[in-house]
Amino acid sequence: MTSIDLNADLGEGFGRWQLTDDERLLSVVTSANVACGFHAGDAATMRRVCEQAAERGVRIGAQVSYRDLAGFGRRAMDVPPAELSAEVAYQIGALEVFARAAGTRVSYVKPHGALYNRVVHDEEQAGAVVDGVLLATRADAGLPVLGLPGSRLLDLAAEAGLPAVTEAFADRAYTEQGTLVPRGRDGAVVTDPEAVVERSVDLAHTGLVTSHTGVPVEVRARSLCLHGDTPGAVELARRVRARLEESGVRVEAFV
């Protein structure tokens, strides 16, 4: 049977400001990308999300980013590799404290926003992220790294002995090269709920998605990302999971 993981970006709040409906999304997804304080998230939020995820058996992932609270981690930044690797390790370590307190562990790492897109092609920044993962997990076997198929991040992760896990986005437009259309461009986000549901099923069964120019693109992915910051995110996530299961796809965590 075909299987796929459903992941969502959670814990994206700060102080009294909350962006994502973490508790309800955790009843749908199988993996939670938890903000670690650099683009969103704070200690209390990380603790709460880890406890809720542990209660539901949802895997916890560290969603690491550039240090950019004001820009939600979506602004391009030039960070020296040694500094970036240290900051990636720092974020993983912070989340691990709360995951362990909740009786579980951080199970994987996924970059966020501008960092996610940068490490698709940037060898130096991708290497720094991998070095940060290795630094944070030196005493363990190493954490899986979640990223875009064909990215330098996943190539370097695999070379370093880290499990490289591919993911796809049903609600984001793709270029013909299999990369994401930048958010600043028209049509970068797919807003029609039924289109998102249909794309999810197609990705799970065929590994294909139609690019923004109408060309079929191969996107073989073990995990499917559902953005938690879009309007109606919870209901959309439920529809996606239900349709996947109705079509014969087993929804389960990749770790």
Side-chain angles (χ1 to χ4, degrees):
M1 178 184 287
T2 300
S3 66
I4 199 163
D5 170 64
L6 292 182
N7 76 76
D9 301 345
L10 301 178
E12 291 184 327
F14 196 82
R16 298 182 63 181
W17 175 73
Q18 298 294 324
L19 178 63
T20 50
D21 190 340
D22 300 325
E23 188 168 9
R24 292 205 297 162
L25 279 167
L26 283 167
S27 68
V28 182
V29 301
T30 48
S31 297
N33 317 315
V34 183
C36 300
F38 273 35
H39 74 280
D42 54 34
T45 300
M46 285 189 279
R47 179 180 183 181
R48 173 176 50 79
V49 175
C50 285
E51 290 173 345
Q52 293 173 345
E55 289 172 0
R56 293 163 177 78
V58 175
R59 300 297 185 268
I60 295 171
Q63 188 163 42
V64 299
S65 72
Y66 288 126
R67 189 189 292 270
D68 181 26
L69 273 176
F72 197 61
R74 288 180 175 163
R75 297 186 293 191
M77 302 183 75
D78 289 316
V79 181
E83 182 178 337
L84 180 58
S85 63
E87 291 190 337
V88 166
Y90 179 93
Q91 292 174 78
I92 296 169
L95 187 64
E96 178 71 358
V97 168
F98 299 112
R100 288 199 182 198
T104 185
R105 299 288 300 273
V106 170
S107 296
Y108 63 95
V109 178
K110 174 185 173 178
H112 165 81
L115 181 58
Y116 186 96
N117 292 316
R118 180 79 170 266
V119 297
V120 171
H121 300 297
D122 192 309
E123 183 95 7
E124 188 175 66
Q125 296 283 280
V129 171
V130 171
D131 288 345
V133 176
L134 293 171
L135 178 61
T137 59
R138 189 152 291 168
D140 301 317
L143 292 174
V145 177
L146 188 60
L148 208 65
S151 65
R152 290 304 297 147
L153 174 68
L154 294 192
D155 290 343
L156 294 176
E159 290 175 13
L162 300 174
V165 183
T166 55
E167 76 167 336
F169 297 81
D171 61 354
R172 289 294 309 277
Y174 278 82
T175 69
E176 294 181 18
Q177 292 73 40
T179 58
L180 301 179
V181 173
R183 279 184 174 270
R185 297 185 186 175
D186 291 339
V189 178
V190 180
T191 57
D192 178 18
E194 186 58 28
V196 173
V197 172
E198 291 179 359
R199 285 159 62 94
S200 299
V201 174
D202 287 343
L203 282 163
H205 283 287
T206 69
L208 295 174
V209 66
T210 302
S211 74
H212 72 303
T213 56
V215 176
V217 177
E218 185 174 12
V219 184
R220 298 285 176 183
R222 180 66 188 86
S223 185
L224 182 65
C225 181
L226 304 173
H227 283 101
D229 61 344
T230 55
V234 175
E235 183 56 35
L236 179 57
R238 287 175 176 159
R239 288 181 60 184
V240 167
R241 178 159 187 166
R243 190 74 67 83
L244 285 169
E245 293 175 335
E246 289 168 3
S247 72
V249 176
R250 183 173 61 247
V251 178
E252 61 182 3
F254 63 83
V255 289

